[in-house]
Amino acid sequence: MNQKEIKNYIGTIAVLAVFIALAVSVVLLIVAGTSVFNRLSYQNENSYDKRTISRFIANKIDSADKIEDIFVQTYGDTSAVGIRQNYSTGEYITIIYCCDGYLRELFLPENAVVELRSGEKIIKCSELNPDMNNGLLTIDVVLSSDEHFRLIYDVSGGNLK
Amino acid sequence: MNDRNVLTLIEQTIAVFILALAAAICLKVFAYSSELSNETERISDAYVLASNASESIKYASGDFDRVAQITGWTKKEDSLAFSENGLDVTITKESESEYLGCASVCVLSDNEEIISFDVMYQR
């Protein structure tokens, strides 16, 4: 290999090296961007789900006419928070529960057969485990991302039993 | 090195330089949005914890011993404290009259206040 060929060879290698550096940088930038975007979406969705679920349940509880109208009941394997409402046409209940990966709400006459799948979908949610103890309603929620959190509501009406 | 190679090398060096500049700007934006998202998540968690704290105080009519018994939070003299998801929640008794009481709920993250408000309860 003569001097000129060696120079050409080194030149080609240098160009290739810079090109590879460029390609690697672009790939790294895209990977970093994707990972950040993925994490942001995950965090934002979790925050949104938490706020929505906690406010939704709080609003429903606040809308109860009497504190005694709020109850926890189990339908099959599913526990639900219920709110009893009295209309001129009779007694109705609104139940809030988790079924098929969704937080659902179902409004029906008190004595009607509860068909959990017919509830209106509110937001994605894996589990909702309510527990009522002497007027303290605690609800353990598992989001679709498997994150757990607990909600506490005072439904004693200021009268501890 | 022939002239064509030199030209290509200069071209690519300029491209790498522009890309580095764009990458620096992008990374700064990524870091900022990540920080913003963490902040949103912290506020969201803080909101849920503060809400739970206030509901528990109202439920127990300001009886911190009872709240500690129900929730397992730590009672220290006239305050209650607990930590969750990297957030520190402190509930302090502010005042009490015959019928009403007031407690302040404060949520901190790395000693920085996120949420603080007063809760009124019936005694």
Side-chain angles (χ1 to χ4, degrees):
Chain A
M1 215 184 269
N2 62 29
Q3 195 78 16
K4 199 181 170 191
E5 276 174 342
I6 290 171
K7 273 186 180 176
N8 265 341
Y9 183 69
I10 291 170
T12 311
I13 294 287
V15 169
L16 267 177
V18 176
F19 178 73
I20 288 168
L22 182 78
V24 168
S25 309
V26 170
V27 170
L28 283 180
L29 191 65
I30 291 170
V31 168
T34 314
S35 134
V36 168
F37 181 73
N38 196 22
R39 202 162 61 85
L40 292 190
S41 310
Y42 177 83
Q43 280 182 327
N44 289 344
E45 196 181 331
N46 266 357
S47 303
Y48 173 78
D49 288 356
K50 265 186 204 172
R51 285 198 306 268
T52 308
I53 291 172
S54 70
R55 277 324 304 163
F56 176 76
I57 298 174
N59 282 343
K60 287 288 163 187
I61 288 170
D62 289 345
S63 71
D65 292 332
K66 294 191 295 261
I67 227 81
E68 303 82 48
D69 289 342
I70 300 160
F71 61 92
V72 170
Q73 196 160 328
T74 307
Y75 302 94
D77 293 336
T78 309
S79 293
V81 179
I83 298 134
R84 211 169 277 114
Q85 286 138 311
N86 216 332
Y87 294 101
S88 55
T89 49
E91 291 259 322
Y92 288 81
I93 54 168
T94 300
I95 55 170
I96 300 156
Y97 56 94
C98 230
C99 178
D100 290 342
Y102 279 92
L103 180 76
R104 292 172 188 252
E105 179 191 31
L106 185 61
F107 179 74
L108 70 167
E110 188 161 24
N111 298 321
V113 177
V114 175
E115 182 55 59
L116 293 175
R117 287 214 166 90
S118 56
E120 193 183 338
K121 290 177 184 173
I122 308 297
I123 195 166
K124 277 185 180 171
C125 171
S126 288
E127 276 179 51
L128 189 87
N129 300 309
D131 180 49
M132 180 84 90
N133 188 3
N134 273 346
L136 186 71
L137 177 64
T138 51
I139 305 173
D140 289 310
V141 186
V142 183
L143 297 178
S144 50
S145 61
D146 265 354
E147 194 172 320
H148 297 235
F149 68 101
R150 172 172 279 193
L151 298 169
I152 299 175
Y153 300 102
D154 167 30
V155 291
S156 68
N159 301 310
L160 291 179
K161 289 160 198 159
Chain B
M1 216 185 283
N2 62 27
D3 285 351
R4 212 171 137 236
N5 268 351
V6 171
L7 201 67
T8 316
L9 190 62
I10 292 169
E11 239 174 49
Q12 291 203 348
T13 310
I14 291 169
V16 168
F17 175 73
I18 292 170
L19 181 86
L21 207 70
I25 295 168
C26 284
L27 288 175
K28 203 178 161 193
V29 172
F30 291 163
Y32 177 68
S33 53
S34 184
E35 197 181 306
L36 211 63
S37 177
N38 285 340
E39 185 69 20
T40 310
E41 195 180 30
R42 272 205 299 274
I43 291 172
S44 201
D45 286 343
Y47 166 77
V48 171
L49 294 180
S51 164
N52 285 351
S54 88
E55 289 289 321
S56 305
I57 299 276
K58 282 195 272 182
Y59 171 74
S61 303
D63 182 350
F64 279 14
D65 286 315
R66 191 171 161 78
V67 177
Q69 191 193 336
I70 298 165
T71 56
W73 299 339
T74 316
K75 185 179 179 262
K76 298 171 195 161
E77 292 179 12
D78 250 7
S79 71
L80 272 170
F82 68 97
S83 295
E84 213 175 298
N85 295 338
L87 296 168
D88 301 314
V89 185
T90 316
I91 308 152
T92 320
K93 207 167 266 186
E94 294 288 325
S95 61
E96 267 188 350
S97 67
E98 197 179 343
Y99 303 109
L100 278 177
C102 177
S104 89
V105 177
C106 184
V107 185
L108 304 171
S109 169
D110 298 326
N111 290 324
E112 190 190 323
E113 187 179 294
I114 298 186
I115 296 179
S116 177
F117 59 86
D118 289 342
V119 185
M120 303 295 284
Y121 53 85
Q122 235 177 342
R123 295 196 69 209

